[in-house]
């Protein structure tokens, strides 16, 4: 039976029919979209508490009743891991919250994470019938996903997906970020013996070192990692594949399939004069010191520069995370400096809104060209040039062009550079036969995510460059399916 | 894993730790380092692997007590475990047969110098080592350096042991006496700066192993960045060894001082709590 037949069959279940019959579609579409309760901006700007507070059960059930349980649920097409969206939402509508959580786990390894950090407005919610046909605000799919996952966690009734019978095959997963975790979960479900190798001392990749507590608490990530452990996934921290052991070493130890999810963790700098002054750091360093090393806490040995005037260069989510972190570390002035206009900012609209509410200043159409330091080498000023937008470039966004004679100085004692990342070179360096692109991403066949080395698959930012958590998870899931297919075929051939 | 097998004080403030780390012991080459996190609240710091025993599955680190983390490390006893140890990291030393190598080590810089001295000797080079420190107590690993050197010169700033004077004076003497084909310089940044000035003057190709601030040690943050030949490089992945004559040591010194106040405060707090 193909996917669509299963969806149809499930939609025809008696309880779904009954729910559909209960309220008229017209009434459903007249309900207003729920608003996510948020911590008060004046209080939260100095605290690491989570900004979005989650929905109450009542609010979630009302929001769930907006969903029309479409015969052709286009929302699912918008989800990179193809969550059965109507099925989990209708379970919320009828009050079966734990069942809703179980549905999420059928295809997603980290629902509490995705409900918080996915750009739903560009994915599932963009494909919702409300957006597409009714020109009304979409069902708050992300909020509902978060509600179901949080309900399960908070009530302590965590379900562990069923596993196929053990296949007795060892699989190595390189990197424990969203791609790796998704891959590992899928392979464990399929009965493989999976070990995840992580270079840092904590599991989770960007979910731990990058995304701050006020957007994604580490405790939420840990609960989802624990579910994977209970499914039998093994984790080895402080293990750098290619350094601590080579791919060949691991093959000798019996690993048959490899998935590379080592991400794009190398920060880019702009290469402008003064960029190595003290007080100028990459967003990766800034966020790692706070999120992973807890430098904001009294009892941590890791120091952090608590600037009074902090400038963050860039307009992506990482830039927003950095500038909002600066406020929480006590900055009097926290600025975003971005070379295009706000319209072109790659950050989520919600993050920009939250940053503004908290008092972040936006200096758009401006670009740093030099940093000026004091006699001790500490950064004191930024020479900034104003920009205007010219013709669209290859990315389709209008190219920023410097305005002659527009330079001026901004006082700053801390600068966080957040202008992008490059793929991690460790795996390609250790395996020269692995094909890479000019941008140092791994070459994979799009269908199966298989690299030029037959036993190796790859996904997430190491293939895409800097992208999103959910695309990485989608890749992990797709690669698991392909690797399972390949290894099962080998077994058949051997018989 | 990460269990301390043995511990030995070279002097009051310099300690040698032999740690169980079978995979690192097997994979490491001269020049490699590890990142250590002592305990749950600990920071991540880089330490060069001084030696390793692949059959025993251990690596040796040499630590000088200077701040909170090195104090915590020096207080661990045999049988204790280090929370996190990752490596081997960085590029291994490129050791070739070149002729005569002048190996210059300052203070605890002698610990990372040792495997390079050993590798150079084994590659068939004549090795002249100069080990220098402020005072007698800080001279370490002399016997081990002797084992792999054709000649060893010991120097102290105060003349309490070996010859009196700075390492640069010893270097000038050796260079005046015989042809040096390559120099390796490891020690405090200020010592490396002046030692590289000496070899630059005499046009001797020189390698320095840089000890910058690091966080992850895998290239993902750029805390360790330095300017080499006008370009920004990451010490943890591109180094730690670079052409000493192309390193901007002044910038490196400036960046090393970036957290000085924090380090001082943390150290004072720690000492107060542990008295």
């Amino acid at each position: 039976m193909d996917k669509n037949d299963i969806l149809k069959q499930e939609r025809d279940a008696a309880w779904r029919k009954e729910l559909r019959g209960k309220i008229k579609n017209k009434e459903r579409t007249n309900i207003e979209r729920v608003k996510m309760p948020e911590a008060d901006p004046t209080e939260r700007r100095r605290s690491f508490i989570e900004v979005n507070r989650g929905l109450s059960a009542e609010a979630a059930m009302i929001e769930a009743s907006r969903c029309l349980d479409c015969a052709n649920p286009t929302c699912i097409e918008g989800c990179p891991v193809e969550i059965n969206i109507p099925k989990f939402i209708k379970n919320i509508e009828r009050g079966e919250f734990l069942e809703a959580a179980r549905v999420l786990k059928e295809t997603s390894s980290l629902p509490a994470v995705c409900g918080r950090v996915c750009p739903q407005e560009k994915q599932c919610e963009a494909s919702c019938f409300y957006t597409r046909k009714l020109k009304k605000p979409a069902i708050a799919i992300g909020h509902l996903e978060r509600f179901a996952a949080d309900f399960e966690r908070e009530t302590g009734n965590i379900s562990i997906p069923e596993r196929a019978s053990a296949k007795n095959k060892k699989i190595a997963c390189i990197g424990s970020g969203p791609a790796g975790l998704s891959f590992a979960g899928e392979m464990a479900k399929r009965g493989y013996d999976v070990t995840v190798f992580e270079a840092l001392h904590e599991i989770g990749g960007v979910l731990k070192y990058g995304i701050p507590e006020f957007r994604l608490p580490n405790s939420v990530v840990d609960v989802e990692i624990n579910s994977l452990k209970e499914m039998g996934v093994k984790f080895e921290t402080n293990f750098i594949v290619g350094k601590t052991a080579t791919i060949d070493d691991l093959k000798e130890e019996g690993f048959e399939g490899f998935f590379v999810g080592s991400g794009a963790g190398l920060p880019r700098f702009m290469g402008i004069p003064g960029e190595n002054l003290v007080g100028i750091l990459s967003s990766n360093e800034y966020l790692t010191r706070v999120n992973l090393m807890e430098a904001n806490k009294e009892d941590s040995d890791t120091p952090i520069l608590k600037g009074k005037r902090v400038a963050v260069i860039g307009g992506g989510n990482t830039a927003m995370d950095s500038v909002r972190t600066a406020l929480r570390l006590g900055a009097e002035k926290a600025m975003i400096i971005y070379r295009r206009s706000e319209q072109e900012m790659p950050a989520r609209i919600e993050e920009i809104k939250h940053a503004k509410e908290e008092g972040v200043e936006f200096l758009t159409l401006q670009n740093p060209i030099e940093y000026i330091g004091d006699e001790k080498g500490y950064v004191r000023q930024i020479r900034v040039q104003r920009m205007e937008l010219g013709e669209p470039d290859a990315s389709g966004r209008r190219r920023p062009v410097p305005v002659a004679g527009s330079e001026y100085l901004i006082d700053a004692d801390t600068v966080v550079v957040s202008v992008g990342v490059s793929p991690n070179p460790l795996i390609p360096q250790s395996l020269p036969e692995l094909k890479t692109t000019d941008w140092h991403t791994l070459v994979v066949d799009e269908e199966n995510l298989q690299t030029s080395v037959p036993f190796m698959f790859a996904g997430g930012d190491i293939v895409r460059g800097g992208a999103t958590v959910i695309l990485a998870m989608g890749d992990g899931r797709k690669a698991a399916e392909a690797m399972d297919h390949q290894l099962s075929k080998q077994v058949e051939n051997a018989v | 894993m990460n269990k301390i097998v043995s511990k030995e004080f070279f002097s009051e403030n310099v300690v040698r730790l032999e740690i169980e780390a079978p995979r690192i012991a097997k994979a490491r080459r001269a020049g490699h380092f590890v990142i250590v996190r002592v305990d749950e609240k600990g920071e991540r710091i880089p330490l060069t692997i001084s030696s390793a025993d692949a059959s025993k599955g251990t690596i040796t680190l040499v630590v000088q007590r200077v701040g909170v983390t090195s104090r915590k490390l020096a207080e661990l006893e045999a049988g204790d475990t280090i929370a996190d140890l990752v490596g081997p990291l960085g590029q291994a030393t490129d050791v070739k047969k070149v002729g005569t190598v002048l190996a210059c080590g300052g203070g605890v810089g002698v610990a990372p110098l040792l495997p390079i001295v050993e590798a150079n000797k084994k590659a068939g080079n004549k090795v002249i080592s100069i080990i220098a420190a402020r005072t007698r107590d800080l001279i370490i690993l002399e016997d081990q350096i002797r084992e792999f050197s054709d000649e060893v010169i010991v120097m102290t700033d105060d003349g309490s042991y070996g010859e009196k004077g700075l390492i640069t004076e010893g270097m000038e003497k050796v260079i005046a006496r015989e042809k040096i084909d390559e120099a390796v310089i490891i020690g405090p940044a200020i010592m490396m700066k002046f030692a590289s000035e000496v070899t630059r003057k005499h046009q001797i190709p020189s390698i320095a192993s840089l000890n910058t601030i690091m966080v992850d040690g895998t290239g993902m943050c750029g805390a360790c960045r330095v300017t080499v030949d006008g370009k920004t490089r990451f010490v943890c992945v591109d180094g730690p060894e670079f052409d000493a004559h192309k390193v901007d040591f002044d910038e490196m010194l400036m960046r090393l001082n970036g957290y000085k106040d924090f380090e001082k405060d943390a150290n004072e707090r720690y000492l107060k709590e542990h008295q």
Side-chain angles (χ1 to χ4, degrees):
Chain A
M1 207 160 48
D2 84 352
K3 275 181 199 163
N4 287 331
D5 293 334
I6 297 173
L7 284 178
K8 191 172 177 305
Q9 196 183 52
E10 284 176 340
R11 186 175 180 268
D12 288 341
W15 67 272
R16 295 264 289 265
K17 281 187 174 167
E18 195 193 319
L19 269 188
R20 284 200 295 276
K22 244 181 179 171
I23 309 173
K24 287 199 179 84
N25 278 355
K26 186 141 191 350
E27 279 174 52
R28 291 182 189 272
T29 56
N30 280 336
I31 304 169
E32 266 195 47
R33 180 178 155 124
V34 72
K35 284 208 168 53
M36 174 63 86
E38 294 170 358
D40 181 69
T42 51
E43 283 164 32
R44 74 183 195 229
R45 68 196 290 274
R46 295 293 190 212
S47 145
F48 282 85
I49 60 153
E50 201 178 358
V51 170
N52 285 337
R53 306 307 298 164
L55 301 181
S56 67
E58 296 72 30
M61 286 170 81
I62 294 169
E63 179 63 23
S65 71
R66 289 179 70 221
C67 169
L68 301 173
D69 198 5
C70 303
N72 174 24
T74 46
C75 51
I76 299 178
E77 293 160 22
C79 173
V81 296
E82 297 175 324
I83 287 175
N84 189 337
I85 292 168
K87 188 175 165 193
F88 96 80
I89 290 185
K90 289 298 118 181
N91 269 301
I92 294 178
E93 185 182 341
R94 68 165 172 163
E96 294 288 338
F97 304 146
L98 292 174
E99 186 54 31
R102 263 193 291 279
V103 175
L104 292 171
K105 284 192 180 170
E106 285 172 6
T107 58
S108 170
S109 306
L110 312 164
V113 172
C114 293
R116 285 171 167 80
V117 304
C118 274
Q120 290 101 6
E121 66 275 12
K122 291 180 189 158
Q123 295 176 330
C124 53
E125 294 181 16
S127 304
C128 172
F129 185 77
Y130 277 69
T131 330
R132 282 194 171 181
K133 295 280 154 57
L134 302 179
K135 307 292 171 213
K136 283 188 175 186
I139 306 300
I141 301 169
H143 294 350
L144 291 174
E145 178 182 23
R146 172 187 160 140
F147 167 78
D150 284 359
F151 182 87
E152 185 190 49
R153 186 182 65 254
E154 284 158 12
T155 54
N157 292 298
I158 296 168
S159 67
I160 302 302
E162 269 180 53
R163 293 192 64 174
S165 56
K167 287 203 166 64
N168 234 344
K169 272 184 181 296
K170 278 168 78 176
I171 306 297
C173 173
I174 303 167
S176 71
L181 293 178
S182 166
F183 170 84
E186 280 300 315
M187 289 303 268
K189 268 187 231 166
R190 290 164 196 264
Y192 291 92
D193 176 5
V194 186
T195 305
V196 180
F197 296 96
E198 167 57 47
L200 289 171
H201 59 266
E202 284 261 8
I203 306 294
V206 74
L207 306 176
K208 283 284 180 64
Y209 74 75
I211 305 174
E213 286 291 290
F214 55 83
R215 272 214 300 141
L216 177 64
N218 282 348
S219 57
V220 169
V221 183
D222 278 332
V223 169
E224 303 213 326
I225 290 166
N226 267 335
S227 295
L228 291 173
K229 284 183 185 162
E230 286 195 29
M231 285 167 68
V233 176
K234 296 172 206 154
F235 290 95
E236 287 230 34
T237 52
N238 296 314
F239 197 117
I240 305 182
V241 175
K243 294 270 183 188
T244 309
T246 62
I247 301 279
D248 281 344
D249 292 336
L250 294 176
K251 284 188 82 178
E252 262 173 47
E253 290 171 29
F255 288 95
E256 293 179 60
F258 289 77
F259 174 75
V260 186
S262 52
L266 299 187
R268 285 196 204 122
F269 287 92
M270 293 169 68
I272 58 178
E275 207 170 21
N276 290 344
L277 286 167
V278 177
I280 303 178
L281 58 176
S282 71
S283 48
N284 268 9
E285 180 184 348
Y286 194 63
L287 294 173
T288 297
R289 282 179 183 270
V290 178
N291 300 332
L292 184 71
M293 307 308 298
E294 304 188 325
N296 54 313
K297 295 189 182 160
E298 275 283 309
D299 58 355
S300 168
D301 288 345
T302 303
I304 182 91
L305 298 168
K306 292 180 178 164
K308 291 279 167 243
R309 297 175 64 91
V310 183
V312 175
I313 318 300
N317 285 319
T318 315
M320 295 308 143
D321 287 345
S322 302
V323 80
R324 296 172 70 198
T325 296
L327 278 178
R328 285 155 174 82
L329 293 175
E332 284 158 14
K333 199 175 170 73
M335 300 165 265
I336 284 282
I337 301 181
Y338 182 58
R339 63 195 184 125
R340 302 182 204 242
S341 74
E342 194 177 311
Q343 267 189 315
E344 287 83 22
M345 277 195 181
R348 289 186 70 188
I349 292 164
E350 182 183 44
E351 305 311 324
I352 295 173
K353 177 186 125 216
H354 282 165
K356 284 186 171 170
E357 286 169 357
E358 289 162 11
V360 171
E361 292 170 45
F362 282 66
L363 282 60
T364 51
L365 287 166
Q366 303 185 39
N367 204 30
I369 51 172
E370 185 189 359
Y371 298 104
I372 298 155
D374 63 15
E375 68 287 350
K376 280 184 176 166
Y378 286 77
V379 66
R380 287 290 169 253
Q381 285 184 308
I382 312 171
R383 191 181 303 283
V384 176
Q385 190 167 42
R386 295 190 191 274
M387 314 290 275
E388 56 192 14
L389 292 180
E391 294 300 306
D393 64 11
S395 76
R397 294 182 299 177
R398 291 176 67 193
R399 190 193 304 273
V401 185
V403 178
S406 65
E407 295 168 21
Y408 73 106
L409 292 170
I410 296 175
D411 291 338
D413 58 13
T414 304
V415 176
V416 181
V417 182
S418 187
V419 296
V421 285
S422 302
N424 193 304
L426 276 165
I427 295 300
Q429 268 172 16
S430 63
L431 206 64
E433 62 266 42
L434 203 55
K435 277 202 192 113
T436 54
T437 66
D438 291 345
W439 300 274
H440 310 291
T441 52
L442 294 186
V443 175
V444 293
D445 94 74
E446 267 178 49
E447 190 82 6
N448 299 312
L449 299 180
Q450 192 167 21
T451 68
S452 55
V453 175
F455 60 81
M456 189 172 271
F457 294 71
D461 285 1
I462 186 74
V463 171
R464 297 170 178 273
T468 63
V469 167
I470 189 66
L471 287 174
M473 289 185 53
D475 287 353
R477 190 158 179 267
K478 200 161 142 188
E481 198 176 325
M483 190 188 286
D484 180 26
H485 188 70
Q486 187 196 47
L487 291 172
S488 308
K489 217 164 56 189
Q490 282 172 7
V491 174
E492 274 169 32
N493 290 346
V495 170
Chain B
M1 273 228 301
N2 306 348
K3 199 166 89 184
I4 295 175
V5 178
S6 71
K7 176 189 180 182
E8 177 197 350
F9 275 99
F10 285 141
S11 66
E12 196 196 333
N13 286 317
V14 184
V15 66
R16 175 187 156 281
L17 299 171
E18 186 186 3
I19 306 161
E20 213 173 78
R23 285 202 187 261
I24 303 176
K26 190 174 156 218
R28 78 100 209 189
R29 300 285 171 270
H32 279 146
F33 68 94
V34 289
I35 291 270
V36 170
R37 191 173 75 120
V38 187
D39 55 34
E40 284 305 308
K41 303 292 174 194
E43 60 182 340
R44 296 166 64 97
I45 65 157
L47 289 168
T48 307
I49 303 167
S50 180
S51 62
D53 186 334
S55 60
K56 239 172 117 185
T58 62
I59 61 166
T60 298
L61 306 176
V62 175
V63 185
Q64 180 176 12
R65 267 199 269 234
V66 285
V68 172
T69 301
S70 51
R71 280 180 202 285
K72 281 185 177 177
L73 271 171
E75 267 151 38
L76 295 176
E77 300 297 342
D80 289 345
T81 300
I82 291 174
D84 298 292
L85 182 65
V86 61
L89 297 164
Q91 303 294 328
T93 311
D94 185 18
V95 177
K96 286 193 278 285
K97 188 171 176 189
V98 292
T100 303
V101 173
L102 182 62
C104 312
V108 277
V110 175
L113 187 69
L114 176 63
I116 299 171
V117 165
E118 177 181 348
N120 268 292
K121 186 66 197 164
K122 286 180 176 161
N125 291 309
K126 177 182 174 184
V127 181
I128 303 172
S129 299
I130 310 183
I131 58 178
R134 274 202 321 278
T135 183
R136 176 177 199 136
D137 280 355
L138 299 171
I139 295 288
I140 58 166
L141 296 168
E142 184 186 341
D143 293 343
Q144 289 87 335
I145 291 281
R146 276 191 197 283
E147 194 186 333
F148 303 109
S149 303
D150 294 86
E151 184 188 347
V152 175
I153 299 164
V154 179
M155 306 196 68
T156 50
D157 294 5
D158 62 1
S160 53
Y161 184 53
E163 288 180 40
K164 183 177 187 322
L166 296 171
I167 196 164
T168 46
E169 295 167 54
M171 292 169 70
E172 290 282 11
K173 270 191 208 167
V174 176
I175 294 165
R177 189 183 78 194
E178 63 183 285
K179 181 174 178 288
I180 302 296
D181 298 291
E182 194 181 285
V184 181
I185 301 165
I186 309 181
I190 191 78
M191 167 261 174
M192 292 196 282
K193 177 187 167 177
F194 286 107
S196 345
E197 288 307 321
V198 172
T199 58
R200 186 205 306 274
K201 193 172 71 190
H202 297 284
Q203 295 178 327
I204 299 165
S206 300
I207 299 292
S209 178
L210 307 187
N211 48 354
T212 50
I213 291 173
M214 288 189 191
V215 182
D216 62 286
T218 63
M220 61 172 258
C221 86
C224 64
R225 64 195 194 274
V226 287
T227 302
V228 181
D229 205 13
K231 290 190 196 78
T232 293
R233 308 288 298 274
F234 291 3
V235 172
C236 69
V237 288
D238 301 323
E241 289 165 19
F242 293 97
D243 180 337
H245 298 156
K246 292 182 174 162
V247 173
D248 184 341
F249 281 108
D250 291 330
E251 181 191 89
M252 182 179 148
L253 277 159
M254 176 190 93
R255 289 183 59 79
L256 277 170
N257 287 331
Y259 289 87
K260 205 140 220 178
D261 295 341
F262 293 94
E263 288 160 4
K264 211 175 115 230
D265 291 351
N267 198 32
E268 279 166 11
R269 233 184 2 255
Y270 182 84
L271 288 176
K272 213 187 259 169
E273 282 165 20
H274 289 79
Q275 258 166 15

